[in-house]
Structures are given as structure tokens and as C-alpha cells.
Amino acid sequence: MKSYMLILFLGFVLSLVVVLVLMPFYIKLLHRLKYNQSVSEYALDEYKNKAATPIMGGLLFVIIPVLVTLVIDTKIVNDPLSVMVILSYLLFCLVGFLDDILIIINKDNKGLSPKLKMLMQIVFAALIYFAYRNYLITSIHLPLINIDIPLGFVYSIFMVFVYCAESNAVNFTDGMDGLCSGVSLISLIPFLVFAINGNKYDLAILIVSIMGALIGYLRYNFYPASIFMGDSGSLALGALFASIAIALNKEIALIFVGGVFVYEMLCVCIQQIAVRVFKRRVFRYTPIHYAFVLRGMKEKKVVVMFYGMAAIFSLIGFVIGVI
């Protein structure tokens, strides 16, 4: 136990320090390559000046903590569910990377077509299910009433849905300096506790290493941001939350822990349905965090407000997860 706690601390510190040290050089490299953000023509005017900010910062907080974890915890490769989480993190990062590269090459904000992006997410999630189905708990635990609902093969459909919904929900949350990274960092805390309490120490080492990397990244992503995570980071983080929740059998807790992501996604869905069916908007702008800016709030205040929301949701999700 003591040795694992030491490894936990080591994973956190190493990932944090490596990201802090490498990020300035990485940002300079991206500037030199002109791998910058392309702003949508529909973006708010105050965000169009961010077109010179480099993207794909997510690559560092994906690759570095995975490498750190594999180096300091060689036994993690013997834990199928931890390997599943790593594979999910990397595969969805790949989807985001391809999207970011197309944005850079084409110099617009379109990237992969929505259909192709969704297809890739579905395929990867399905492959992950079939590769690790023998290690999964294919029932949903309902806290409060303490009932387990067996899903059998239907769990495969449910798992694909969780991956796609969560990855896109986190993607919707990305858009303001420090917003997605900070909310993700806060939302990982309950899952770290769940992993430790469940004696899933290998998974806990991975989670805490990613948290260290996120803090290092946030140093350069908080307002005014020097780098954006891009879809390389946001889709990877979404898959990370989905896979961790599935590995720990905390799918219901994920809804509450990731409440900010759910809120963002629901607002986007409601807006799209309202516009397409009723030709009217429900919200002034979506993703919803931009609506607060239109109401006169400063970006930093919106981000801090969402941090507070994330903390409340995480606390609720933690309570639900331990019941």
C-alpha cells in the first residue's frame, strides 16, 4: 500500500513537471509549423482573435501521463481494464488528432465530417467492447435503491452510447480558456477516490498521472491561453471518463460527476431540435458557456463559475458513487 501511494505521488509529480517543462518548447514548435486554431465564421466576435493560438495541446496530456504510467507501474499491463482505459484514451485522441490536422491543413474549422467522426467513435468503442467484454461487469448498478440491472449483450450498445455521448459532451465543453481542462481536472477527483477505495491501484496511478499533466497543461491554457487542447484532447478526455466509469462500474455516478458535460450537451441538443423543428432558439447561443458571455459576463468569470458547478456535481457524483 505504501509503495503504491509513493508511485501515485511520483506519477503525479513526473507528469506535472514533464508537461510544464516541455509545453513552452511544444508551443514554439506549433507556432513555427503554424498549427493554429481556425475560428468558425459563426464564432462570437470576441473569440475571432484567438485564431493565432496553436492547437493540439491535448497530445501532451495524453501521451506524457500514459508513458509515465507505463514506466513507473510496469504491472499495469497485467490489468486488462486499466489497459482498456489507456487504449480508449489513445484511440479517441487519434480521432481528435485527425480532426485537428484537417483543420490545420484546410485552414477552416470543419475538420472531419460529423458523420465520419461519429462513425470512428462508434467503431472504436465497439472494438474496445469486443476486446474487453470478458472483463466487464455487464450490469448497471443503481445506487440509492442498491439494485443491479443485468444488460447482457445490450451492454455493448450501452457502452458505445456512453463513449460517444461523453466524448462529444466534453468536446462541447471545450471553447474557453481553461474551461474544459479545469472542469475535467475537478471531475477526475471522485474517480481517483473510487479507484483507490476499490483497490484499483494501477488505474489510480494512471488517473493521478493524467491529473498532474492536466495541471501542467492548465498553466498554459488558463486565460489568456497560449495553447488549446483541440479535439485531440477533448475527445480523448471524454473517452477517458467513459472508460474509467465502465471499468469501475460507476456509470450512473458519471452522469453526476460529469454534470457540466451533460449540461453542455443537453443544451446543444435542445437548441438543435428547437431550431430544426420549431425554427426557434431556446438559448441565446450554444454551447451554453458562450451564452453567459453574451449576457455580459467576462470569460474568466464564466470559467470560474463552471469550475464551481463542476465541484458541486463532482461532490454529488461522489456521494452517489459510494452509496
Side-chain angles (χ1 to χ4, degrees), residues 92 117-118 121 160-176 179-181 183-184 187 229-231 233-242 254-269 272 286-290 306:
F92 277 69
K117 190 189 297 186
M118 180 60 71
Q121 293 175 66
V160 171
F161 171 78
V162 172
Y163 268 89
C164 295
E166 191 67 20
S167 59
N168 285 289
V170 175
N171 185 242
F172 288 141
T173 308
D174 188 27
M176 284 185 177
L179 176 58
C180 187
S181 51
V183 170
S184 296
S187 302
M229 67 172 64
D231 281 8
S234 60
L235 293 181
L237 286 171
L240 177 73
F241 280 109
L254 174 63
I255 298 172
F256 297 92
V257 172
V260 169
F261 306 132
V262 174
Y263 170 54
E264 291 272 13
M265 183 176 65
L266 284 177
C267 290
V268 170
C269 292
Q272 289 184 348
T286 55
I288 196 63
H289 47 264
Y290 293 121
F306 272 71

Side-chain angles (χ1 to χ4, degrees), residues 28-91:
K28 289 180 181 179
L29 174 63
L30 292 176
H31 273 303
R32 191 177 302 121
L33 295 173
K34 296 184 179 180
Y35 283 8
N36 299 332
Q37 174 71 41
S38 292
V39 179
S40 170
E41 60 182 302
Y42 303 107
L44 300 179
D45 290 338
E46 49 264 60
Y47 291 92
K48 290 182 178 178
N49 61 353
K50 298 188 179 186
T53 307
I55 59 174
M56 294 201 299
L59 287 181
L60 282 194
F61 66 68
V62 172
I63 295 173
I64 287 174
V66 169
L67 290 177
V68 166
T69 302
L70 292 174
V71 169
I72 66 175
D73 181 24
T74 55
K75 292 187 294 183
I76 195 172
V77 296
N78 299 320
D79 179 12
L81 291 181
S82 292
V83 175
M84 180 192 77
V85 173
I86 292 174
L87 184 62
S88 303
Y89 199 35
L90 295 175
L91 284 176

Side-chain angles (χ1 to χ4, degrees), residues 188-209:
L188 279 173
I189 296 173
F191 288 112
L192 174 61
V193 179
F194 294 153
I196 294 174
N197 287 345
N199 298 320
K200 303 287 187 181
Y201 295 115
D202 296 311
L203 183 55
I205 292 168
L206 175 64
I207 294 172
V208 80
S209 297

Side-chain angles (χ1 to χ4, degrees), residues 5 10 46 48 60 77 79 112 120 126 130 140 152 155 221 236 252 265 273 290 293 302 305 317 322:
M5 295 304 292
L10 185 62
E46 49 264 60
K48 290 182 178 178
L60 282 194
V77 296
D79 179 12
L112 292 170
M120 293 180 69
F130 283 108
I140 303 298
Y155 189 84
N221 180 240
I252 300 300
M265 183 176 65
I273 293 171
Y290 293 121
V293 175
V302 175
M305 180 182 71
V322 297

